[in-house]
Amino acid sequence: MEKPWAAQETDNSIRLYEYPGGRERKVIQQHADWVNSIAFSHDGSRIASASREPGPARVFNTSNGELETTYTGHDGPVVSIAFSADDKTLYSAARDKKVHVWQESDGKKANEIIGFEGEV
């Protein structure tokens, strides 16, 4: 399978494309507002997303576009997301001035980093 690449859109969607070639494979529409950030797992099998809607970050399967995990721990729009090196943990940053560390498998918060004076 070719590894996908993606684009986040202002129509609240994530579009997955084949690389190389650029053929659109999937459109994921699970957010209620703009998608601010996306990150692929290291093997390309999952994509995590952060949105302007307050609270949730999500993880999708890149093969079929199905939602795998939702994390709802933030009190404001989520602006950035990243996988850890082992793909088991995600880091999400939000306008609530916090970075949350959560488990990809179940969406449960493992830790949070606080003390920022502004939006992370």
Side-chain angles (χ1 to χ4, degrees), residues 3-70:
K3 287 198 175 182
W5 63 277
Q8 63 220 38
E9 301 289 339
T10 57
D11 68 355
N12 311 344
S13 71
I14 301 165
R15 297 178 185 277
L16 297 175
Y17 298 90
E18 288 182 357
Y19 177 81
R23 184 176 69 87
E24 186 176 278
R25 285 193 4 212
K26 289 275 178 219
V27 177
I28 301 170
Q29 292 184 299
Q30 292 274 333
H31 286 284
D33 207 336
W34 290 9
V35 177
N36 287 327
S37 179
I38 55 176
F40 279 101
S41 60
H42 292 84
D43 66 1
S45 67
R46 291 165 301 175
I47 188 168
S49 61
S51 170
R52 277 191 347 181
E53 65 189 292
R58 295 185 170 98
V59 178
F60 302 93
N61 180 300
T62 57
S63 294
N64 58 22
E66 302 254 334
L67 178 65
E68 290 189 351
T69 309
T70 300

